[in-house]
Amino acid sequence: QELTLLDSSNTIFKLLGPVLVKQDLDEAKATVAKRLEYITGEMKRYEQQMQDLERRSEQQREVLGKLQQEMQ
């Protein structure tokens, strides 16, 4: 959101180790967009993993419940 407020006359710096390096506005916007895309993808992947684990956990609970009923 901050990058949309800037125009080509503004100077943008990128931190590389201990050094600030000038960066083009379009390059900065592209970098931020790629990072956001990556983060969004990772969040979706982790949410899917959580759903899969919850589904497996529920299946195991059902199997355990059936085994307990058989033992009684």
Side-chain angles (χ1 to χ4, degrees):
Q1 292 175 352
E2 295 290 324
L3 291 176
T4 59
L5 301 174
L6 303 176
D7 59 14
S8 60
S9 66
N10 297 109
T11 305
I12 300 172
F13 293 94
K14 179 178 183 178
L15 184 63
L16 291 176
V19 180
L20 287 175
V21 179
K22 276 189 178 182
Q23 188 176 29
D24 182 47
L25 177 61
D26 293 332
E27 186 180 337
K29 286 181 179 180
T31 301
V32 170
K34 286 179 187 176
R35 287 182 183 174
L36 287 174
E37 182 180 327
Y38 174 77
I39 290 169
T40 303
E42 286 296 301
M43 287 175 54
K44 287 180 182 178
R45 187 172 68 86
Y46 286 127
E47 288 173 0
Q48 183 64 39
Q49 280 183 339
M50 284 179 42
Q51 290 174 357
D52 290 345
L53 290 173
E54 287 174 0
R55 186 172 48 248
R56 285 188 207 165
S57 175
E58 185 61 36
Q59 289 172 348
Q60 292 299 324
R61 280 192 207 108
E62 290 174 5
V63 169
L64 182 62
K66 289 178 184 177
L67 289 173
Q68 285 176 341
Q69 286 178 354
E70 289 177 9
M71 294 298 288
Q72 293 175 354

